[in-house]
Structure formats: C-alpha cells, structure tokens
Amino acid sequence: MTAHDPGGERRRQVLQAIQRATEPVGVAGIAEQVGIHPNTARFHLDALVDAGIVERIMGTPSGPGRPRAVYLPRPGRARGDERRYRMLAEILLGYVTSTTTEPAPAATEMGRAWGAHLIDRLAPSQTITRAGATDRLVAMLDDLGFAPEAVPRDGGVPDRVLLRHCPFLELAERHRDIVCPLHLGLMQGALSELRAPVTATALEPFAEPDACVTHLAPANARTA
C-alpha cells in the first residue's frame, strides 16, 4: 500500500477506521466513515482479512436472521505493515556472538540446517549431476533474493556462483563474521541434502565490485 497508489491509500483509510473504532465495526459503518460504497469497503476488508491484518467475526445478534459480520484489528498487527525485523536480526546476531567463542562455525552449522530445509529435494532413489545440483542451488538462492549467477570454468561445469545481491547487506556489513558463514552454510547444506557431487568450499565476501564469490568443488574437497 504505497502513498501514490489510490487503492492502497483507500485500504489504509479502511484499516485506520477499524483501528479508531472502540468496538468491532461492520461494513456499513466503515463505508460511512471512509465515504465509500459498501461494496468497495467490503473489497478492501476482504483484502485486509486475507493479509492477516484484520479479523472478521460475527457480531452479536440484534434480531431475526443471521448476525452481521464485523471487523477488528488482529492482535499484533494493529499498525499494519510496520515491522522491525532488522532489529530482531541484530538482537539474534548479538546473541550468537555473545554465547560462543567461535561464531563463524556456529553460523555455518545453522546455515547448513536451513539450506537442507530450503532446497528443492530429490526423490529417495533419484541421483543428480553436478550441473543439476548447481541449477537447484541457484534456484534456491534466487528465491532468497541473492541474484545468483553460475559461472562455468572454460565453458564446462560451473566452478563459481556469483551472488550479485545480498538480502542481508546492512547486517553483513556489521556482522560479516556471522552472516557470510551463514550464507556459505546455506549452500553447503543444500548441496549435501541433494547428495550432490559438488559442494561450496569457500565464500569470498565482496570479492568483485558487484558480487560475492562462492567457489564450488567436488564434494570430497575440504571446505573453507
């Protein structure tokens, strides 16, 4: 819901009308407050319910027939889209740093666990080639927002993956000793889960002007 988007602004007004109300409010009351048609109000209310920002409940019966639907802010979501996830990440990173003398290996292990969870897995009897495993790894990294690019060696199989976007850049600048090992662990865990003949052996942060570089090697190679 951006300020220049008329539909988004109207939805924000609907949400604010619900937040101002001292008790759950119905479609007609919201439409009157915002100055829109009830059908328009219902459309925005449905979207807010689908987004988990607003709850729809049945009001107290006031006579024959089905009680009307009324709306109220969902607990914990009353301020709409405002979130403080970066602060939460800072807190968790600080906790990791303070509870271990070797935060990098701990972060790598956490990354491996999540990489194994996030990768598009194989069937139990299925095997995978190095190229196929790299393709799945790149797809996972792309879903996570890393803008990855596999780089082949002399026209052959890829031996590097460039990460052209860091979705945790602000955190990585301050906590490189945790965030970068976590990223390496993600890739190692994903490839291990695939039983791939390749692994990620090292991650060079900001090795190129616009990318971090992950090095790939046969799975029996020593990781760094």
Side-chain angles (χ1 to χ4, degrees):
M1 295 189 295
T2 57
H4 63 275
D5 176 10
E9 178 61 29
R10 187 69 74 195
R11 192 162 301 164
R12 186 177 293 107
Q13 293 171 356
V14 170
L15 176 60
Q16 290 171 346
I18 298 170
Q19 293 168 342
R20 286 193 302 265
T22 57
E23 60 184 15
V25 60
V27 173
I30 294 168
E32 182 178 356
Q33 288 188 54
V34 180
I36 56 179
H37 192 277
N39 286 342
T40 303
R42 188 174 288 106
F43 168 78
H44 291 298
L45 286 165
D46 287 345
L48 291 169
V49 170
D50 289 343
I53 298 172
V54 166
E55 287 188 48
R56 181 194 294 115
I57 62 174
M58 302 312 294
T60 303
S62 58
R66 183 181 179 184
R68 64 173 184 151
V70 292
Y71 299 83
L72 69 163
R74 181 180 173 187
R77 299 292 297 269
R79 298 191 67 180
D81 293 333
E82 184 175 348
R83 299 291 178 268
R84 299 285 182 177
Y85 292 127
R86 181 176 171 185
M87 180 182 295
L88 174 61
E90 292 276 6
I91 293 169
L92 295 175
L93 288 170
Y95 176 77
V96 172
T97 301
S98 66
T99 55
T100 177
T101 57
E102 297 184 317
T108 303
E109 284 304 312
M110 288 188 289
R112 286 173 181 150
W114 274 95
H117 171 69
L118 293 171
I119 194 67
D120 185 13
R121 294 174 174 83
L122 300 175
S125 61
Q126 188 177 359
T127 59
I128 196 166
T129 64
R130 176 168 175 163
T134 303
D135 287 345
R136 290 199 184 210
L137 175 67
V138 167
M140 182 193 80
L141 293 170
D142 191 48
D143 287 342
L144 294 173
F146 284 95
E149 178 188 351
V151 179
R153 179 183 65 245
D154 300 327
V157 295
D159 66 344
R160 290 172 294 155
V161 175
L162 307 184
L163 307 178
R164 297 197 177 278
H165 177 261
C166 180
F168 313 111
L169 179 61
E170 294 82 4
L171 296 171
E173 289 173 339
R174 296 184 54 187
H175 303 279
R176 187 180 301 184
D177 60 329
I178 299 177
V179 175
C180 296
L182 179 69
H183 292 167
L184 177 62
L186 279 171
M187 292 180 273
Q188 291 175 346
L191 292 169
S192 178
E193 181 67 20
L194 292 173
R195 306 182 299 279
V198 62
T199 190
T201 56
L203 172 61
E204 293 186 81
F206 313 110
E208 297 190 3
D210 64 342
C212 299
V213 178
T214 303
H215 295 275
L216 303 178
N220 58 359
R222 183 175 62 87
T223 59

